[in-house]
Amino acid sequence: MTGTLAHIWRHPIKGIGSEACDQIELTPEAAVVGDRAWALLNAEAEDTDAWQPRRNFLQVASGPALAAVGAVSTDTGVLLTHPDRDPLDFKPETDPAALGAWISDLWPDNRPGPARLVKAPTQGMTDVEFASVSIGNLSSLRALSQKAGMHIDMRRFRINLWLDGLAPWEEIDLLSRDITLGGATLSPVEPIERCRAPDANPQNGQRDIGMLRTLEDGWDTRNFGVYFKVKSGGTVAVGDTLQ
């Protein structure tokens, strides 16, 4: 099995913005360093910085307009962009209220609104209770696009590492062993079961596909991508070969 790391994505704020990276650091404690480092609690969530499930935060599955947010980490904070508003360049530590104000009208009125921006625990505010790295396969994405009859943007799935050079759905076979990318070794955990978040188009924040139905009709599954843990840390960069 051969493959190359083609894309790296990090999400500085959970559910709000995707950031393309040339390289990242992986550690057993934090998984993807800087990924889901902050999260915006909704008004019905427990007011704590501890890990909480995805439903307690503002995120794309409940607010599809958030899919169109882009992110860039800066020396002092995070720069967020959206096609329907001016960019927001802010420091989460010192101006936590800025984000809630910036996205307020992007969030549905019938959902609990933004409450407090929290700093995530070391593992990041991932969708699962362990420090996780998500891996996707571009060949599977192309097969999914063909099934859907439209281009499926990889950002819909908020996956960290995208491999190219594998056969479609060969990422499932990766779950049988440890893998090495760059200076890091990763251990397999499980497939990623999907929700409604990938229905939203990152170009405009509009739902334009039923992704779960497409997966079920084509492959009798709700899974897309796989979760790994970091066994030994190191730098991972675009162009690294899967071993």
Side-chain angles (χ1 to χ4, degrees):
M1 183 184 301
T2 60
T4 302
L5 182 56
H7 301 277
I8 298 172
W9 291 93
R10 181 169 57 196
H11 312 89
I13 302 170
K14 180 181 181 67
I16 305 173
S18 300
E19 175 182 30
C21 303
D22 293 326
Q23 67 177 39
I24 51 172
E25 296 297 320
L26 302 182
T27 71
E29 300 78 18
V32 180
V33 175
D35 190 55
R36 280 92 168 175
W38 297 87
L40 186 55
L41 288 168
N42 69 44
E44 292 185 353
E46 183 182 358
D47 191 4
T48 173
D49 294 357
W51 185 90
Q52 296 190 54
R54 181 182 58 213
R55 65 177 178 272
N56 290 358
F57 301 96
L58 272 66
Q59 33 77 29
V60 175
S62 299
L66 299 182
V69 178
V72 177
S73 296
T74 67
D75 291 339
T76 58
V78 181
L79 173 66
L80 299 178
T81 59
H82 189 279
D84 294 337
R85 65 206 50 234
D86 293 334
L88 173 68
D89 190 355
F90 81 116
K91 301 177 183 179
E93 295 93 339
T94 59
D95 193 11
L99 178 60
W102 188 73
I103 69 166
S104 60
D105 63 335
L106 297 176
W107 188 247
D109 292 337
N110 62 348
R111 296 280 183 173
R116 186 170 72 90
L117 185 65
V118 298
K119 186 171 178 59
T122 301
Q123 73 173 66
M125 206 68 78
T126 52
D127 287 349
V128 287
E129 293 187 68
F130 57 86
S132 62
V133 179
S134 53
I135 296 178
N137 176 1
L138 288 177
S139 293
S140 300
L141 185 66
R142 287 190 282 267
L144 185 61
S145 295
Q146 185 175 16
K147 174 66 177 177
M150 59 184 287
H151 171 69
I152 303 296
D153 191 312
M154 72 181 78
R155 291 174 295 170
R156 289 178 185 255
F157 294 97
R158 306 186 70 78
I159 281 175
N160 297 125
L161 309 179
W162 284 94
L163 299 173
D164 205 4
L166 304 179
W169 312 107
E170 195 173 6
E171 66 273 22
I172 299 301
D173 296 337
L174 296 179
L175 293 174
S176 64
R177 62 181 176 87
D178 289 352
I179 63 173
T180 298
L181 285 167
T185 300
L186 295 86
S187 296
V189 182
E190 61 191 10
I192 303 173
E193 184 175 0
R194 290 297 165 181
C195 62
R196 292 199 68 193
D199 293 0
N201 191 328
Q203 295 292 330
N204 55 27
Q206 300 294 315
R207 288 187 176 125
D208 57 7
I209 188 174
M211 197 67 72
L212 292 176
R213 177 174 293 181
T214 304
L215 287 167
E216 289 172 339
D217 288 350
W219 299 274
D220 194 26
T221 185
R222 288 190 164 208
N223 300 332
F224 192 83
V226 287
Y227 278 131
F228 277 71
K229 290 183 177 180
V230 179
K231 185 174 184 179
S232 61
T235 302
V236 172
V238 170
D240 284 343
T241 301
L242 172 69
Q243 298 180 17

